[in-house]
């Protein structure tokens, strides 16, 4: 390890960097049109714009309170509906849009929302998996493909990306996010917003408005328990939770969704500080805010609002502009306004924001611009889209272990045995959150491998994974007793050269309302793995999961482990190409893998504490008595079929004045036999600060492709942005002092330079 002391001679004072940002210059033409339209609107029509109904068939939450389908149709005609969700397909969307445009007094078009989470019909890997690629261009492309299919199906707006930072693998929704780190999370949030919205002009009918969710703190629900409260201190709020949202707003994001949770006792949909003061005023967000499903109504059982009327008042005054399927704004806001109990300025601001986004999307110019059946047929499921999601899927795979040179597999002469229910599943690999996609449409690992092995591949299912076929609307029941199939698998194992076992979670035990307290391989799978290992240890374990798992035994004993998540439509092809070396794995974990569930929350950017290490060999230091405190696999970790060497880690200047940039550089060399990609990661620690800082924080990264023997010098500029942090008042400050600058291929194995900023 190379350590250089750098003396920075210039005296730096604390610099407070302002957050104020006018998000977008408003289009004065649009604002004038809104003035004219709003002058004509009745109270009912205004509040109507703030009301969103679920479509008449799919339900992604508790049964709707908005009334029967007939009542909802009637309310659209009365101008009491501004938006619909989960209506989809050109024919269906046209039917509801026609009512709004042709049968209401003012003809204001609906904005159609949908959960386009990781693809529409042609599915990309789950968002957590995509984050493992650290490939921002590929992630942006994936969102663009998703947007194009959704838009072609008549949808104008997605409820994504989810940008909740989370350190809790128990929480099912980690599959929907970008993992634990606010820097990586911000970069990915921006890439996804760009992928959905393009250049924000919406000139193309294949781009849709994005929604940053869930604002805020949902990833910190206590104990990883779904729909629970979040208790978040200011340090965590400003430095971990908010940065991705801020980055997305700065990119031109058009909508934000509130979260289900309370934050320090305030329901997110009533959080004036976050919604009004921070998002809208401080950050200058000019789009609109939608509640999560019935979350305004849920302020009553939370014990915050005593009835529906007070829930309506709290939400609208805080800045929640649209009520998703809560049935609160219509009718209560109308009545409250007529009684003078809600100031008109709140409603006017909300309506202006909603109309603004509708104008920006071109819905007033042509409400049917997204509704073209020919385009729908051409775009959805196109060959190009399949190629894009396959590319994303390969890039999302993380190689966790590769001993005995088991991987890549040899293209001939090996007897391969494939085991596990998930190996032949065409459903689970699609991932959770894929309502527009048809069940059983993924390429299974079995199918993918057959492209390489033909019929020489031997597949034995082994013990069943679940007791019945899981669905999105039921709890997954893992098989814990029925061992039939085990014997056949054991027999087959005897004669195989290599055994590929596909184990993990069914995707329906990940996602919303799928919190778990046990993150080991569920059901009989670990026993299955151990039994096969006794007979033949040449096992490649392919993991299918939507959250970090604690796979200690496997990690210790199984020679090769491939993290293949839930990779979407092209799943099996991606896995096969990686196993056979046609794609050299390049993914890095976006979330720490714990050794056991008791370590959660475990994350790389932790604090040093007053007693970080056991210097004196005594008991009274920060540790567990019954387990190591280190992770099983650290954040940023992932192997390749080749090897990389880091050398010549340098910093270009010995002094640093305000406004100057430091340039650090490192040389990366491919020292192995295969061409491959490495994510070069840069971390910084501010060693002493007015608010104690983490032991390291990711501040930059670069994805580098190298041929064998090839080298590249990677440079990172370090500015105030990388050195500063948010203080407990939410101001971004840069303080003088000493900094450690670290570089490496994961958050644990790092080369360090120390820089003193005096
Ligand atoms: C509830 C989820 O929390 C949210 O993410 C989703 O967008 C809505 N339901 C609509 O389906």
């Amino acid at each position: 390890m190379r350590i250089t002391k750098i003396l920075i001679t210039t005296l730096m004072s604390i610099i407070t960097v302002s957050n104020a940002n006018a998000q977008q210059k408003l289009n004065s033409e649009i604002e004038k049109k809104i003035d004219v339209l709003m002058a004509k609107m009745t109270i009912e029509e205004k509040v109507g714009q703030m009301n969103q109904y679920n479509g008449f068939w799919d339900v992604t939450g508790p049964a709707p309170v908005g009334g029967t389908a007939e009542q909802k149709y009637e309310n659209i005609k009365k101008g009491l509906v501004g938006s619909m969700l989960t209506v989809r397909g050109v024919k269906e969307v046209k039917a509801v849009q026609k009512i709004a445009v042709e049968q209401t007094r003012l003809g204001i078009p609906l904005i159609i929302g949908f959960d386009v989470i990781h693809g529409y019909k042609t599915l990309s890997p789950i968002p957590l998996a995509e984050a493992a690629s650290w490939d921002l261009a590929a992630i942006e492309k994936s969102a663009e493909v998703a947007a194009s299919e959704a838009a072609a199906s008549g949808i104008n707006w997605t409820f994504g990306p989810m940008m909740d930072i989370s350190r809790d693998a128990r929480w099912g929704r980690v599959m929907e996010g970008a993992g634990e780190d606010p820097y990586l999370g911000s970069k990915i949030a921006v890439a996804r917003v760009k992928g959905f919205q393009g250049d924000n002009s919406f000139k193309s009918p294949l781009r849709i408005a994005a929604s940053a969710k869930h604002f805020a703190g949902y990833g910190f629900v206590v104990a990883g328990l779904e729909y629970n409260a979040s208790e978040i201190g200011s340090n965590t709020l400003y430095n971990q939770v908010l940065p991705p949202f801020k980055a997305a707003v700065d990119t031109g994001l058009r909508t934000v969704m509130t979260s289900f949770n309370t934050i320090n006792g305030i329901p997110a949909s009533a959080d004036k500080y976050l919604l009004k003061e921070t998002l809208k005023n401080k950050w200058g967000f000019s789009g609109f805010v939608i509640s999560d499903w019935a979350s305004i109504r849920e302020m009553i059982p939370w014990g915050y609002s005593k009835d529906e009327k007070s829930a309506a008042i709290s939400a609208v005054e805080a800045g929640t502009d649209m009520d998703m399927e809560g049935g609160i704004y219509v009718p209560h806001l109308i009545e409250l306004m007529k009684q003078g109990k809600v100031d008109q300025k709140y409603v006017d601001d909300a309506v202006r924001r909603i109309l603004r986004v509708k104008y920006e999307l071109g819905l007033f110019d042509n409400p049917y611009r997204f509704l073209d059946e020919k385009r729908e047929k051409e775009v959805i499921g196109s060959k190009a889209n399949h190629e894009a999601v396959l590319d994303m899927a390969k890039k999302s795979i993380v190689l966790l272990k590769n001993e005995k040179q088991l991987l890549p597999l040899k293209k001939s002469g090996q007897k391969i045995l494939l085991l596990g229910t998930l190996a032949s599943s065409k459903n689970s690999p699609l991932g959770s959150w894929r309502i527009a996609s048809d069940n059983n449409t993924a390429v299974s690992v079995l199918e993918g491998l057959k492209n390489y092995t033909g019929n020489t591949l031997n597949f034995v299912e082994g013990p069943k994974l679940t007791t019945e076929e899981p669905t999105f609307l039921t709890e997954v029941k893992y098989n814990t007793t029925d061992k039939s199939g085990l014997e056949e698998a054991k027999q087959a194992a005897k004669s195989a050269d290599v055994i590929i076992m596909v184990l993990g979670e069914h995707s329906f035990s990940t996602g919303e309302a799928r919190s778990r307290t046990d993150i080991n391989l569920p059901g009989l799978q670990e026993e299955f793995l151990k039994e096969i290992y006794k007979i033949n240890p040449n096992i490649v374990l392919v993991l299918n999961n939507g959250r970090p798992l604690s796979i200690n035994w496997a990690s210790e004993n199984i020679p090769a482990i491939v993290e293949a998540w839930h990779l979407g439509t092209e799943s099996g092809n991606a896995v096969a190409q990686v196993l056979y070396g046609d794609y050299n794995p390049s993914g890095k974990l976006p979330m720490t893998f714990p050794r056991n569930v008791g370590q959660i929350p475990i994350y790389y950017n932790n604090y040093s504490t007053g007693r970080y290490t056991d210097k004196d060999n005594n008991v009274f230091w920060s540790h567990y008595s019954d387990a190591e405190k280190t992770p099983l696999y650290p954040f940023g970790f992932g192997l390749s079929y080749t090897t990389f060497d880091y050398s010549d880690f340098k910093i270009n200047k010995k002094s640093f004045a305000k406004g100057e940039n430091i340039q650090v550089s490192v040389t990366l060399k491919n020292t192995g036999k295969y061409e491959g990609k490495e994510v070069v990661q840069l971390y910084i620690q501010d060693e002493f600060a007015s608010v104690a800082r983490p032991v390291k924080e990711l501040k930059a990264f670069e994805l580098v492709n190298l041929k064998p023997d090839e080298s590249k010098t990677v440079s990172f500029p370090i500015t105030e942005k990388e050195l500063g942090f948010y203080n407990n008042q939410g101001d971004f400050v840069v303080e003088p002092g000493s900094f450690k600058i670290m570089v490496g291929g994961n958050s644990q194995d790092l080369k360090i330079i120390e820089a003193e900023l005096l």
Side-chain angles (χ1 to χ4, degrees):
M1 182 187 305
R2 181 191 159 123
I3 299 189
T4 316
K5 275 264 177 201
I6 309 290
L7 280 190
I8 308 294
T9 47
T10 313
L11 188 74
M12 288 178 67
S13 55
I14 294 183
I15 305 158
T16 306
V17 185
S18 159
N19 269 318
N21 169 59
Q23 191 200 7
Q24 263 198 336
K25 264 179 87 196
L26 296 181
N27 176 327
S28 57
E29 286 299 303
I30 289 183
E31 298 305 306
K32 273 188 225 144
K33 286 182 186 165
I34 298 174
D35 290 339
V36 174
L37 180 56
M38 282 182 66
K40 294 187 207 155
M41 291 171 81
T42 62
I43 291 179
E44 284 82 354
E45 284 162 340
K46 284 183 178 172
V47 176
Q49 285 304 304
M50 300 166 69
N51 181 32
Q52 185 187 60
Y53 280 149
N54 182 46
F56 309 121
W57 42 92
D58 288 312
V59 176
T60 68
V65 290
T68 62
E70 289 67 31
Q71 285 163 338
K72 286 181 174 179
Y73 275 123
E74 280 314 302
N75 280 350
I76 301 178
K77 286 183 198 158
K78 287 184 197 149
L80 289 175
V81 185
S83 173
M84 299 285 299
L85 82 144
T86 57
V87 182
R88 62 175 179 274
V90 168
K91 227 168 114 218
E92 311 285 358
V93 173
K94 203 179 262 170
V96 286
Q97 193 63 294
K98 253 172 123 54
I99 303 175
V101 173
E102 293 171 24
Q103 297 186 42
T104 64
R105 195 178 75 91
L106 293 172
I108 301 175
L110 298 165
I111 176 170
I112 307 292
F114 198 87
D115 286 285
V116 186
I117 307 298
H118 54 106
Y120 184 70
K121 200 132 202 153
T122 314
L123 296 172
S124 270
I126 56 167
L128 184 67
E130 286 193 356
S133 72
W134 297 51
D135 187 330
L136 301 175
I139 292 172
E140 183 177 332
K141 177 72 192 168
S142 160
E144 185 188 332
V145 167
S148 71
E149 291 202 353
S153 176
I155 284 144
N156 320 130
W157 168 31
T158 171
F159 305 130
M162 180 179 112
M163 46 193 76
D164 295 303
I165 297 300
S166 185
R167 301 156 164 180
D168 201 326
R170 294 169 297 183
W171 189 48
R173 300 198 80 167
V174 295
M175 54 102 3
E176 263 182 85
E180 74 186 38
D181 182 64
Y183 179 83
L184 179 62
S186 299
K187 293 282 177 200
I188 290 176
V190 168
R192 287 186 171 140
V193 170
K194 283 190 184 157
F196 287 129
Q197 296 192 168
D199 61 5
N200 301 328
S201 71
F202 301 106
K203 284 199 188 102
S204 159
L206 294 178
R207 301 287 187 160
I208 56 179
S211 187
K213 70 186 188 185
H214 303 85
F215 200 66
Y218 193 22
F220 283 77
V221 279
V222 172
L225 177 65
E226 184 64 310
Y227 310 129
N228 205 359
S230 294
E231 300 288 326
I232 303 178
S234 20
N235 198 0
T236 302
L237 179 69
Y238 295 125
N239 289 292
Q240 306 297 325
V241 173
L242 296 184
F245 290 95
K246 168 80 167 60
V249 167
D250 290 347
T251 305
L253 169 83
R254 299 324 290 135
T255 78
V256 167
M257 185 188 291
T258 63
S259 48
F260 283 128
N261 53 283
T262 54
I263 310 166
N264 305 329
I266 312 293
S269 301
D271 199 320
K272 210 176 269 181
Y273 173 70
L274 283 179
L275 296 173
K276 192 133 277 176
E277 290 173 30
T278 306
L279 174 70
K280 292 183 176 174
N281 295 345
K282 197 168 179 182
W283 297 353
F285 172 64
S286 61
F288 72 87
V289 174
I290 180 159
S291 77
D292 200 347
W293 182 287
S295 68
I296 302 178
R297 173 173 293 277
E298 288 176 10
M299 282 155 49
I300 305 167
W302 263 116
Y304 181 82
S305 303
K306 67 176 188 315
D307 54 25
E308 296 183 1
K309 284 193 174 53
S310 59
I313 296 171
S314 301
V316 76
E317 289 187 353
T320 300
D321 303 313
M322 189 181 274
D323 176 11
M324 180 193 287
E325 189 62 16
I328 294 287
Y329 281 177
V330 171
H332 298 295
L333 259 191
I334 297 174
E335 200 188 321
L336 289 161
M337 276 183 71
K338 286 185 175 163
Q339 293 166 347
K341 290 186 181 153
V342 165
D343 194 320
Q344 177 152 347
K345 72 176 183 199
Y346 296 115
V347 169
D348 280 354
D349 181 57
V351 175
R352 175 171 292 278
R353 287 168 179 277
I354 294 163
L355 294 177
R356 182 180 292 143
V357 175
K358 289 186 179 184
Y359 272 108
E360 289 168 349
L361 282 167
L363 290 170
F364 279 97
D365 295 335
N366 176 8
Y368 306 115
R369 69 185 287 252
F370 291 87
L371 302 170
D372 176 334
E373 289 192 49
K374 187 165 160 272
R375 187 167 59 217
E376 186 178 35
K377 282 203 192 85
E378 280 164 10
V379 172
I380 296 179
S382 72
K383 192 164 167 274
N385 290 357
H386 278 268
E387 279 163 11
V389 300
L390 172 59
D391 181 61
M392 187 73 254
K394 288 188 282 194
K395 291 174 170 165
S396 304
I397 291 173
V398 185
L399 181 65
L400 294 176
K401 190 174 173 189
N402 190 18
E403 285 177 357
K404 297 182 19 183
Q405 294 189 317
L406 228 47
L407 292 175
L409 299 172
K410 298 187 181 50
K411 287 195 176 148
S412 61
Q414 277 185 325
K415 271 165 72 186
I416 307 281
L417 170 65
L418 179 66
L419 297 177
T421 303
L422 289 172
S424 61
S425 175
K426 293 175 67 59
N427 208 23
S428 174
L430 294 174
S432 199
W433 265 132
R434 26 96 165 197
I435 14 181
S437 191
D438 301 320
N439 283 334
N440 296 307
T441 48
V443 177
S444 67
V445 174
L446 174 61
E447 290 167 332
L449 285 178
K450 275 192 176 161
N451 292 332
Y452 286 86
T453 58
N455 287 334
T456 65
L457 180 70
N458 187 13
F459 170 62
V460 177
E461 185 180 354
K464 291 243 176 276
L465 179 69
T466 59
T467 55
E468 56 199 51
E469 188 52 31
T471 75
F472 183 50
L473 299 173
T474 57
E475 299 282 359
V476 174
K477 295 194 184 77
Y478 287 104
N479 167 27
T480 53
T481 50
D482 179 4
K483 294 189 184 163
S484 44
L486 182 59
E487 238 0 89
E488 189 192 349
K490 280 162 73 174
Q491 286 308 320
K494 287 182 186 157
S495 56
D497 293 322
V498 179
I499 302 168
I500 299 165
M501 294 187 76
V502 185
L503 306 179
E505 303 175 293
H506 193 283
S507 57
F508 287 139
S509 61
T510 75
E512 186 178 345
R514 267 57 173 203
S515 297
R516 293 179 57 204
T517 60
D518 180 350
I519 56 163
N520 297 315
L521 288 172
L524 293 173
Q525 294 180 100
E526 183 150 325
E527 187 182 335
F528 183 23
L529 185 62
K530 285 177 176 164
E531 288 293 318
I532 298 299
Y533 179 79
K534 274 192 240 161
I535 292 165
N536 185 342
N538 290 335
I539 297 174
V540 176
L541 170 61
V542 174
L543 290 171
N544 279 189
N545 45 309
R547 51 160 63 79
L549 297 178
S550 52
I551 43 154
N552 294 291
W553 186 87
S555 159
E556 184 108 328
N557 297 286
I558 300 300
I561 305 178
V562 175
E563 174 52 83
W565 316 102
H566 298 125
L567 293 175
T569 306
E570 291 288 336
S571 218
N573 286 333
V575 171
Q577 289 186 26
V578 164
L579 294 184
Y580 276 96
D582 282 342
Y583 185 83
N584 186 353
S586 50
K588 302 272 188 178
L589 295 177
M591 226 179 146
T592 305
F593 273 42
R595 292 176 190 277
N596 68 57
V597 78
Q599 290 181 307
I600 293 174
I602 180 169
Y603 45 96
Y604 84 94
N605 47 359
N606 53 265
Y607 291 94
S608 81
T609 79
R611 301 178 184 195
Y612 195 49
T613 49
D614 175 23
K615 279 198 218 80
D616 307 322
N617 210 7
N618 81 42
V619 152
F620 299 98
W621 68 289
S622 176
H623 73 298
Y624 296 106
S625 326
D626 59 352
E628 284 183 56
K629 74 169 175 181
T630 55
L632 183 61
Y633 296 109
F635 173 82
F637 177 81
L639 303 170
S640 164
Y641 294 149
T642 194
T643 48
F644 295 100
D645 179 57
Y646 285 77
S647 67
D648 219 10
F649 184 28
K650 293 195 287 223
I651 190 160
N652 71 332
K653 271 190 198 159
K654 304 226 165 194
S655 66
F656 178 61
K658 181 179 176 326
E660 279 187 345
N661 286 1
I662 306 174
Q663 201 75 28
V664 296
S665 58
V666 68
T667 302
L668 182 75
K669 183 170 184 195
N670 182 341
T671 49
K673 287 196 300 241
Y674 300 87
E675 178 170 354
K677 278 187 248 160
E678 168 75 332
V679 182
V680 180
Q681 302 162 41
L682 182 99
Y683 297 84
I684 295 183
Q685 180 188 19
D686 183 347
E687 291 181 283
F688 308 97
S690 59
V691 181
R693 307 306 310 142
V695 290
K696 62 193 77 154
E697 293 175 282
L698 181 71
K699 293 293 179 179
F701 63 87
E702 192 175 320
L703 188 58
V704 183
N705 187 71
L706 292 178
K707 298 206 167 70
D709 276 333
E710 201 186 348
S711 300
K712 186 183 172 189
T713 299
V714 181
S715 297
F716 298 105
I718 296 181
T719 66
E720 285 158 11
K721 222 167 86 215
E722 284 75 35
L723 297 176
F725 61 90
Y726 289 94
N727 67 16
N728 284 342
Q729 285 67 52
D731 297 317
F732 190 76
V733 296
V734 189
E735 296 180 356
S738 53
F739 293 81
K740 261 190 201 152
I741 301 169
M742 297 159 258
V743 73
N746 67 67
S747 64
Q748 215 161 264
D749 305 315
L750 295 162
K751 291 183 181 291
I752 304 173
I753 291 180
E754 285 193 12
E756 266 182 54
L757 308 186
L758 294 178

